Amino acid sequence: MTDLLDFARGPALQAAMAIFVLGVFWRLGSLFFLPHVLRKTPSREGAAPPFIAASGEFIRRMMVKKEYASRTAFSFFNGWTFHIGLAIIVFGLAGHIMFFKRLIGLSWPNLPSNFIFLIAVITLASLAAALVHRLTSPVLKMISTLDDYITWTVTAVPVITGLAATMHLGARYETLLALHILSICVLLIWFPFGKLMHAFLVFITRGETGVQLSERGVKL
């Protein structure tokens, strides 16, 4: 199984990272170079500067409006749970930090392994809850596409394989580690072409919305 591990952290990871970088630049480039419709109406007097308007809209979207709190509470808090959990796992595990150091030359203190393990379990439970909610909510189930389920799968499987490798569950550690790295490769390849791309696009789309609303004098 050493050959599988060498392949996973060698050619497979290199190819996946290349596709990830090129795909992200392609998506962002295709967005920025789209022909834009010029606004024919002047901005309202006293409109906030674009950066302030964009930042304000981004922050506003991070909060729950009280009118919808009872209906969106689960999605809001569960969404924060697995997003923060994934960030802690990616940037807090010692092995991941070593990878970033080799890749970009930067490192930072790692978090305790037991803490990362606990966060991974919570994150996986949160992802499972999100899937159950999508499958049982009539509205979510109706508007869900194949993209949603693929995106959920490629996000959850690295967490599952990472936990399995940590616990040495089901196979030799080298095999489990190889499967974990390969699952990350699949995530990187899918990232630019599925809904995971919102990690980049969310700043652009919400910022643009905030600027337009400010220029038109919309009160929120």
Side-chain angles (χ1 to χ4, degrees):
M1 290 302 172
T2 304
D3 291 341
L4 179 62
L5 181 57
D6 289 340
F7 169 75
R9 61 188 178 187
L13 186 58
Q14 292 170 6
M17 289 175 60
I19 294 172
F20 169 79
V21 172
L22 292 174
V24 168
F25 275 103
W26 175 73
R27 288 291 303 275
L28 293 177
S30 65
L31 178 63
F32 284 122
F33 288 104
L34 282 174
H36 294 279
V37 177
L38 295 177
R39 300 186 182 100
K40 298 181 180 180
T41 56
S43 301
R44 70 176 176 88
E45 185 177 351
F51 178 78
I52 300 298
S55 301
E57 176 66 11
F58 185 80
I59 294 172
R60 186 184 72 82
R61 293 293 190 93
M62 296 171 69
M63 310 298 178
V64 176
K65 292 185 73 67
K66 60 181 181 181
E67 295 86 353
Y68 310 115
S70 61
R71 287 179 289 177
T72 61
F74 172 80
S75 297
F76 178 80
F77 290 108
N78 194 60
W80 273 107
T81 298
F82 69 73
H83 277 90
I84 293 174
L86 289 170
I88 292 174
I89 295 168
V90 171
F91 298 108
L93 185 66
H96 294 167
I97 296 172
M98 291 174 60
F99 168 77
F100 286 117
K101 185 176 182 179
R102 292 195 298 268
L103 182 65
I104 59 177
L106 297 177
S107 65
W108 47 88
N110 64 279
L111 295 171
S113 299
N114 289 339
F115 176 73
I116 295 293
F117 181 83
L118 175 62
I119 294 298
V121 171
I122 294 173
T123 301
L124 184 58
S126 177
L127 285 166
L131 179 62
V132 171
H133 181 58
R134 181 176 294 279
L135 292 172
T136 55
S137 168
V139 175
L140 281 177
K141 188 174 182 179
M142 181 176 63
I143 65 175
S144 295
T145 64
L146 184 61
D147 187 349
D148 292 292
Y149 297 109
I150 294 176
T151 296
W152 184 92
T153 302
V154 301
T155 303
V157 171
V159 181
I160 295 171
T161 56
L163 284 170
T166 301
M167 296 186 293
H168 301 262
L169 186 64
R172 292 178 55 191
Y173 175 74
E174 292 81 3
T175 302
L176 295 170
L177 180 59
L179 293 175
H180 178 58
I181 296 173
L182 289 173
S183 69
I184 294 172
C185 292
V186 174
L187 184 147
L188 290 172
I189 292 170
W190 176 254
F191 193 108
F193 310 106
K195 290 191 175 181
L196 289 172
M197 189 63 190
H198 81 279
F200 291 98
L201 298 180
V202 65
F203 300 99
I204 302 169
T205 55
R206 291 186 179 180
E208 176 67 15
T209 299
V211 172
Q212 291 188 20
L213 293 178
S214 176
E215 290 180 347
R216 296 172 184 175
V218 177
K219 300 291 184 180
L220 299 171

